[in-house]
Amino acid sequence: EVQLVESGGGLVQAGGSLRLSCAASGIAFADHNIGWFRQAPGKEREGVSFISASNGNTYYADSVQGRFILSSDNAKNTMTLKMNNLKPEDMAVYYCAVDYFPGTYTRVGEFEAGMNFWGEGTLVAVSS
């Protein structure tokens, strides 16, 4: 059984930073595309970033490019999203996710469409 557990959310002032973590069981990160998406109240979910299983590259949504950094430790099956210079529009529930049957993607939207498993999410709140 695949399980993903997020942690690290909280309340931060605009301009601040947070680090989100994801721990997985029942799956080997190295074999799959892994990443994060978010969903704000009343809005559609949005892919944030993912690491490609096929080439090892990391891809970001335009809205977070240059501010967020995604990394993984495949030996520990953990993933970290470092979020810097947070803005009020970043406020959302953040979910770590896995594309179990990994396609060869180069866009975050493709990963979001292909992901099969995700955790219960962690809330990130940004005050202005």
Side-chain angles (χ1 to χ4, degrees):
E1 180 185 5
V2 177
Q3 288 191 325
L4 303 169
V5 179
E6 303 93 341
S7 61
L11 174 63
V12 65
Q13 286 189 328
S17 299
L18 278 177
R19 187 189 306 268
L20 305 183
S21 297
C22 175
S25 60
I27 196 169
F29 269 179
D31 297 334
H32 309 279
N33 297 325
I34 58 175
W36 293 81
F37 71 94
R38 65 188 181 185
Q39 188 160 25
K43 295 187 177 181
E44 293 186 358
R45 72 185 189 190
E46 176 190 19
V48 174
S49 179
F50 79 99
I51 298 173
S52 170
S54 62
N55 61 23
N57 290 342
T58 305
Y59 299 88
Y60 298 93
D62 290 343
S63 57
V64 306
Q65 180 75 49
R67 300 188 296 122
F68 290 13
I69 301 171
L70 177 60
S71 60
S72 69
D73 184 334
N74 290 341
K76 297 181 178 179
N77 262 0
T78 58
M79 178 168 48
T80 298
L81 183 67
K82 180 70 189 306
M83 306 184 296
N84 300 312
N85 190 21
L86 282 161
K87 303 176 180 180
E89 52 263 41
D90 293 318
M91 183 158 54
V93 178
Y94 283 70
Y95 302 84
C96 68
V98 170
D99 170 21
Y100 193 82
F101 303 104
T104 304
Y105 308 138
T106 58
R107 293 179 178 273
V108 173
E110 294 174 310
F111 167 74
E112 184 208 336
M115 58 190 187
N116 313 101
F117 298 97
W118 49 87
E120 295 188 351
T122 184
L123 176 63
V124 172
V126 184
S127 63
S128 56

